[in-house]
Amino acid sequence: MKPAPFAYHRPSTVDEAASMLAATEGKILAGGQSLIPIMSMRLAAPAALVDLNHVTGLADIDVSDTAVRIGALTRHGDLERNVAAYDANPLLRRAVQHVAHATIRNRGTTVGSLVHADPAAEMPAVLRLLGGSVEVVSTARGRRSIDAEAFFVGPLESALEPDEVAVSACFPHPPAGSGSAWLEIARRHGDYGLVGVGALVVLDSDSSGERGGVPDQRGGHPGARRRHRRLQRRGVRRGGLGGRQDARGRGHRPRG
Amino acid sequence: MTTSHVDPASGEALHEVTLTVNGMPHRLRVPARRLLSDALRHDLRLTGTHVGCEHGVCGACTVLLEGRPTRSCLMFAVSVDGASVTTTEGCLEPDGGLGHVQQAFQDCHALQCGFCTPGFITTITAYLEDNPDPTEDEAREAIGGNLCRCTGYQNIVAAVLRAADIRRERAAS
Ligand SMILES: Cc1cc2nc3c(=O)[nH]c(=O)nc-3n(C[C@H](O)[C@H](O)[C@H](O)COP(=O)(O)OP(=O)(O)OC[C@H]3O[C@@H](n4cnc5c(N)ncnc54)[C@H](O)[C@@H]3O)c2cc1C
Ligand code: FES
Ligand code: FES
């Protein structure tokens, strides 16, 4: 239960981190809450780790008119406690509260969880649901932004290239007149969910809060599929959001 | 952090790390793969921190990193260079007497074998700083990330509430 030896690198800037990553063909160490257990169980033995924890300027949470942007060192717990982010988009806190236990959230990073791309993880589903993006940097190709849709490639597989450092993630605010919810079934609160559902319901401008006009519903399911997908429904027909549902709107229908 | 040293036995590079543990500064020389839990137990001989599962599930190894509960088995000592760490040995009264959580564990018989106890003491100590007056449900939720194989948890929940009382009484006196 001890990790294998590795070479340790401690950059203090993002550019340094990217060049160390390219030079060593190592892995980034962020919160370590997924990587260290995997290394302790000897499921992974990277030759080198590039420790992001001493890079400055990566822990900020920036709430603009259009989105919540978090840095690669924003811990799950920082996002959960951030009042401005909650006011702008309550779904972020509702979902992140289901990520592990508070003790893990104090160290694990939300961007790390996106990169790790566990199909059972909450925040990849939220990024997908909101149509967000991840910004990455490499020495060879500079900066690029990857849309959530393209970011999650498969179980534990993201579109990040081995020499790329993820520096931030952007969660766009849901449109005005929308509501969101997060539901999850886990054996204990804090365990990985067996299945979960995030929902975003956007009301039509002319239905202005009246029941009935629901032109845009989206759902995201952690745990139910091999990779994070967004289900989308347009038009007045009201499809439900269940554990599994196909594109023709079959599944449970909401009552009332 | 310097890496000018090599372990003669293994050939591994050693890093010099500075940690403030329970208020005391320490310098240690460790390989990069040294877990913080092992650095505390083996290098600093602070064996109050226990190691159960070593993959983040049981909570026995929980310490306070800059005041916040974190798993010491899920951090490398070299990565928390310069940090301030509080272990169960540090959850005492300033005069060296039992801290409010430790006292409550004794009062409520909240431990049997004691293996899980250090993780509960640190977790609950930090929790009560942010939530000084929890309900029973909140107390139960607060310890949700810590496993105990002996007690059945009832007395630990009681100890959280008792610790909140003692903390208030001591603050008032
Ligand atoms: C007991 C336990 C329970 C958990 N339960 C849940 C849960 O219910 N839901 C959930 O979502 N998660 C859960 N987690 C995982 C937790 O959310 C992790 O924090 C998260 O998956 C990874 O974030 P990290 O910062 O710890 O990343 P690390 O462990 O440091 O890294 C994970 C991987 O991502 C890469 N990486 C990380 N950051 C970057 C970056 N910025 N650029 C490039 N590569 C990067 C690393 O190289 C590594 O391959 C749990 C963990 C534990 C130990
Ligand atoms: S030993 Fe660290 S959580 Fe079990
Ligand atoms: S007292 Fe024995 S494991 Fe908790």
Side-chain angles (χ1 to χ4, degrees):
Chain A
M1 289 299 286
K2 306 291 178 197
F6 56 86
Y8 176 77
H9 301 276
R10 184 188 292 170
S12 47
T13 65
V14 168
D15 288 347
E16 241 174 71
S19 66
M20 285 173 177
L21 195 59
T24 60
E25 296 181 12
K27 296 287 275 178
I28 292 283
L29 172 68
Q33 304 299 289
S34 294
L35 185 56
I36 297 178
I38 291 170
M39 288 174 66
S40 286
M41 291 186 259
R42 299 280 176 122
L43 296 170
L49 288 189
V50 177
D51 185 358
L52 222 50
N53 287 284
H54 298 257
V55 175
T56 47
L58 284 184
D60 296 341
I61 301 178
D62 174 44
V63 182
S64 73
D65 289 345
T66 53
V68 175
R69 180 179 292 275
I70 59 170
L73 283 180
T74 301
R75 316 284 169 182
H76 294 303
D78 298 334
L79 178 60
E80 178 184 359
R81 287 182 287 267
N82 191 286
V83 175
Y86 176 73
D87 288 344
N89 183 357
L91 180 63
L92 296 175
R93 182 184 291 174
R94 285 179 192 145
V96 83
Q97 279 175 334
H98 287 270
V99 176
H101 306 287
T103 312
I104 309 283
R105 294 199 294 275
N106 283 336
R107 189 74 183 163
T109 67
T110 303
V111 170
S113 149
L114 300 175
V115 174
H116 195 56
D118 190 320
E122 286 79 3
M123 298 317 281
V126 171
L127 192 82
R128 193 77 178 81
L129 181 58
L130 294 169
S133 59
V134 179
E135 192 175 33
V136 306
V137 167
S138 66
T139 308
R141 294 173 307 284
R143 216 166 256 266
R144 67 176 178 131
S145 171
I146 311 173
D147 287 344
E149 199 176 345
F151 191 75
F152 302 106
V153 175
L156 301 177
E157 194 184 352
S158 73
L160 209 71
E161 297 292 337
D163 64 344
E164 283 177 325
V165 185
V167 290
S168 67
C170 176
F171 294 91
H173 298 333
S178 62
S180 64
W182 187 269
L183 286 174
E184 186 169 317
I185 298 170
R187 293 176 72 187
R188 290 185 307 170
H189 182 174
D191 285 356
Y192 274 105
L194 298 171
V195 67
V197 55
L200 183 67
V201 177
V202 185
L203 291 183
D204 224 346
S205 48
D206 35 273
S207 60
S208 55
E210 302 272 317
R211 290 197 323 186
V214 187
D216 186 359
Q217 301 181 46
R218 301 174 195 168
H221 306 262
R225 292 172 185 273
R226 283 162 53 81
R227 71 187 180 99
H228 291 278
R229 290 183 40 174
R230 188 172 86 181
L231 309 172
Q232 187 141 4
R233 199 72 69 258
R234 283 185 189 283
V236 287
R237 185 163 59 148
R238 297 150 100 214
L241 300 165
R244 282 189 81 90
Q245 189 182 43
D246 67 23
R248 289 177 297 272
R250 279 185 260 155
H252 311 288
R253 281 170 187 275
R255 298 201 183 100
Chain B
M1 180 197 68
T2 52
T3 56
S4 51
H5 304 280
V6 170
D7 184 334
S10 66
E12 266 182 79
L14 298 178
H15 302 265
E16 220 150 85
V17 173
T18 309
L19 289 176
T20 302
V21 183
N22 303 326
M24 293 279 289
H26 293 275
R27 280 188 99 153
L28 45 162
R29 204 174 274 171
V30 292
R33 60 175 168 147
R34 176 81 89 242
L35 300 169
L36 178 61
S37 44
D38 290 338
L40 292 169
R41 292 177 53 83
H42 301 302
D43 297 285
L44 299 180
R45 302 272 163 197
L46 288 169
T47 53
T49 299
H50 289 174
V51 173
C53 65
E54 224 167 39
H55 60 272
V57 174
C58 74
C61 70
T62 306
V63 299
L64 308 183
L65 182 78
E66 309 295 352
R68 287 202 190 282
T70 31
R71 303 288 203 231
S72 62
C73 74
L74 296 188
M75 290 180 282
F76 293 117
V78 70
S79 183
V80 295
D81 189 13
S84 165
V85 177
T86 307
T87 66
T88 189
E89 288 98 334
C91 294
L92 300 171
E93 285 297 284
D95 68 2
L98 290 183
H100 49 285
V101 184
Q102 295 166 334
Q103 185 63 54
F105 266 60
Q106 191 180 70
D107 293 353
C108 299
H109 189 52
L111 66 148
Q112 289 176 27
C113 79
F115 197 87
C116 66
T117 311
F120 278 99
I121 300 289
T122 48
T123 303
I124 297 165
T125 300
Y127 178 78
L128 292 177
E129 291 305 307
D130 295 335
N131 307 274
D133 190 16
T135 63
E136 188 178 327
D137 279 350
E138 287 165 349
R140 200 172 289 280
E141 177 69 26
I143 58 166
N146 292 67
L147 299 181
C148 173
R149 296 191 59 182
C150 301
T151 62
Y153 300 102
Q154 306 303 338
N155 289 356
I156 301 179
V157 174
V160 177
L161 302 176
R162 172 86 186 115
D165 287 345
I166 300 174
R167 187 174 171 277
R168 263 193 306 274
E169 284 160 19
R170 287 184 181 174
S173 64

PDB file of all heavy atoms in Angstrom, chain B residues 88-101:
ATOM      1  N   THR B  88      -4.068  14.565  16.496  1.00  0.00           N
ATOM      2  CA  THR B  88      -4.846  14.372  17.726  1.00  0.00           C
ATOM      3  C   THR B  88      -4.017  14.774  18.953  1.00  0.00           C
ATOM      4  O   THR B  88      -4.571  15.256  19.944  1.00  0.00           O
ATOM      5  CB  THR B  88      -5.352  12.914  17.834  1.00  0.00           C
ATOM      6  OG1 THR B  88      -6.268  12.829  18.909  1.00  0.00           O
ATOM      7  CG2 THR B  88      -4.222  11.916  18.041  1.00  0.00           C
ATOM      8  N   GLU B  89      -2.699  14.633  18.883  1.00  0.00           N
ATOM      9  CA  GLU B  89      -1.851  15.046  20.016  1.00  0.00           C
ATOM     10  C   GLU B  89      -1.957  16.546  20.261  1.00  0.00           C
ATOM     11  O   GLU B  89      -1.646  17.029  21.352  1.00  0.00           O
ATOM     12  CB  GLU B  89      -0.372  14.710  19.758  1.00  0.00           C
ATOM     13  CG  GLU B  89      -0.013  13.234  19.816  1.00  0.00           C
ATOM     14  CD  GLU B  89       0.039  12.585  18.433  1.00  0.00           C
ATOM     15  OE1 GLU B  89      -0.657  13.081  17.517  1.00  0.00           O
ATOM     16  OE2 GLU B  89       0.765  11.581  18.274  1.00  0.00           O
ATOM     17  N   GLY B  90      -2.370  17.285  19.219  1.00  0.00           N
ATOM     18  CA  GLY B  90      -2.438  18.740  19.347  1.00  0.00           C
ATOM     19  C   GLY B  90      -3.819  19.250  19.723  1.00  0.00           C
ATOM     20  O   GLY B  90      -4.018  20.455  19.873  1.00  0.00           O
ATOM     21  N   CYS B  91      -4.790  18.334  19.863  1.00  0.00           N
ATOM     22  CA  CYS B  91      -6.158  18.772  20.175  1.00  0.00           C
ATOM     23  C   CYS B  91      -6.361  18.869  21.689  1.00  0.00           C
ATOM     24  O   CYS B  91      -7.343  18.349  22.237  1.00  0.00           O
ATOM     25  CB  CYS B  91      -7.176  17.829  19.537  1.00  0.00           C
ATOM     26  SG  CYS B  91      -7.154  17.888  17.739  1.00  0.00           S
ATOM     27  N   LEU B  92      -5.416  19.492  22.359  1.00  0.00           N
ATOM     28  CA  LEU B  92      -5.416  19.598  23.820  1.00  0.00           C
ATOM     29  C   LEU B  92      -5.830  20.991  24.248  1.00  0.00           C
ATOM     30  O   LEU B  92      -5.892  21.911  23.452  1.00  0.00           O
ATOM     31  CB  LEU B  92      -3.989  19.356  24.344  1.00  0.00           C
ATOM     32  CG  LEU B  92      -3.339  18.017  24.038  1.00  0.00           C
ATOM     33  CD1 LEU B  92      -1.874  18.057  24.438  1.00  0.00           C
ATOM     34  CD2 LEU B  92      -4.062  16.910  24.787  1.00  0.00           C
ATOM     35  N   GLU B  93      -6.067  21.131  25.546  1.00  0.00           N
ATOM     36  CA  GLU B  93      -6.216  22.462  26.129  1.00  0.00           C
ATOM     37  C   GLU B  93      -4.841  23.118  26.163  1.00  0.00           C
ATOM     38  O   GLU B  93      -3.809  22.422  26.196  1.00  0.00           O
ATOM     39  CB  GLU B  93      -6.719  22.331  27.580  1.00  0.00           C
ATOM     40  CG  GLU B  93      -8.179  21.982  27.688  1.00  0.00           C
ATOM     41  CD  GLU B  93      -9.053  23.066  27.103  1.00  0.00           C
ATOM     42  OE1 GLU B  93      -9.229  24.113  27.763  1.00  0.00           O
ATOM     43  OE2 GLU B  93      -9.563  22.891  25.978  1.00  0.00           O
ATOM     44  N   PRO B  94      -4.794  24.448  26.193  1.00  0.00           N
ATOM     45  CA  PRO B  94      -3.493  25.127  26.258  1.00  0.00           C
ATOM     46  C   PRO B  94      -2.650  24.670  27.456  1.00  0.00           C
ATOM     47  O   PRO B  94      -1.420  24.617  27.383  1.00  0.00           O
ATOM     48  CB  PRO B  94      -3.870  26.609  26.396  1.00  0.00           C
ATOM     49  CG  PRO B  94      -5.258  26.716  25.856  1.00  0.00           C
ATOM     50  CD  PRO B  94      -5.916  25.398  26.071  1.00  0.00           C
ATOM     51  N   ASP B  95      -3.301  24.270  28.571  1.00  0.00           N
ATOM     52  CA  ASP B  95      -2.520  23.838  29.747  1.00  0.00           C
ATOM     53  C   ASP B  95      -2.103  22.375  29.656  1.00  0.00           C
ATOM     54  O   ASP B  95      -1.561  21.806  30.601  1.00  0.00           O
ATOM     55  CB  ASP B  95      -3.325  24.076  31.032  1.00  0.00           C
ATOM     56  CG  ASP B  95      -4.556  23.165  31.142  1.00  0.00           C
ATOM     57  OD1 ASP B  95      -4.769  22.315  30.244  1.00  0.00           O
ATOM     58  OD2 ASP B  95      -5.304  23.289  32.131  1.00  0.00           O
ATOM     59  N   GLY B  96      -2.385  21.729  28.522  1.00  0.00           N
ATOM     60  CA  GLY B  96      -1.964  20.341  28.344  1.00  0.00           C
ATOM     61  C   GLY B  96      -3.007  19.324  28.769  1.00  0.00           C
ATOM     62  O   GLY B  96      -2.825  18.121  28.583  1.00  0.00           O
ATOM     63  N   GLY B  97      -4.119  19.788  29.341  1.00  0.00           N
ATOM     64  CA  GLY B  97      -5.199  18.875  29.736  1.00  0.00           C
ATOM     65  C   GLY B  97      -5.973  18.394  28.514  1.00  0.00           C
ATOM     66  O   GLY B  97      -5.754  18.867  27.388  1.00  0.00           O
ATOM     67  N   LEU B  98      -6.874  17.433  28.727  1.00  0.00           N
ATOM     68  CA  LEU B  98      -7.664  16.902  27.617  1.00  0.00           C
ATOM     69  C   LEU B  98      -8.459  18.014  26.944  1.00  0.00           C
ATOM     70  O   LEU B  98      -9.088  18.842  27.614  1.00  0.00           O
ATOM     71  CB  LEU B  98      -8.644  15.838  28.128  1.00  0.00           C
ATOM     72  CG  LEU B  98      -8.068  14.494  28.597  1.00  0.00           C
ATOM     73  CD1 LEU B  98      -9.214  13.548  28.986  1.00  0.00           C
ATOM     74  CD2 LEU B  98      -7.199  13.864  27.525  1.00  0.00           C
ATOM     75  N   GLY B  99      -8.438  18.031  25.619  1.00  0.00           N
ATOM     76  CA  GLY B  99      -9.252  18.974  24.860  1.00  0.00           C
ATOM     77  C   GLY B  99     -10.726  18.652  25.040  1.00  0.00           C
ATOM     78  O   GLY B  99     -11.079  17.573  25.533  1.00  0.00           O
ATOM     79  N   HIS B 100     -11.600  19.564  24.600  1.00  0.00           N
ATOM     80  CA  HIS B 100     -13.038  19.361  24.827  1.00  0.00           C
ATOM     81  C   HIS B 100     -13.554  18.111  24.132  1.00  0.00           C
ATOM     82  O   HIS B 100     -14.402  17.404  24.670  1.00  0.00           O
ATOM     83  CB  HIS B 100     -13.857  20.597  24.426  1.00  0.00           C
ATOM     84  CG  HIS B 100     -13.534  21.143  23.074  1.00  0.00           C
ATOM     85  ND1 HIS B 100     -12.389  21.866  22.811  1.00  0.00           N
ATOM     86  CD2 HIS B 100     -14.195  21.072  21.894  1.00  0.00           C
ATOM     87  CE1 HIS B 100     -12.376  22.204  21.535  1.00  0.00           C
ATOM     88  NE2 HIS B 100     -13.450  21.737  20.950  1.00  0.00           N
ATOM     89  N   VAL B 101     -13.002  17.784  22.956  1.00  0.00           N
ATOM     90  CA  VAL B 101     -13.480  16.591  22.252  1.00  0.00           C
ATOM     91  C   VAL B 101     -12.949  15.332  22.935  1.00  0.00           C
ATOM     92  O   VAL B 101     -13.671  14.354  23.139  1.00  0.00           O
ATOM     93  CB  VAL B 101     -13.084  16.630  20.758  1.00  0.00           C
ATOM     94  CG1 VAL B 101     -13.673  15.430  20.029  1.00  0.00           C
ATOM     95  CG2 VAL B 101     -13.558  17.926  20.104  1.00  0.00           C
TER      96      VAL B 101
END
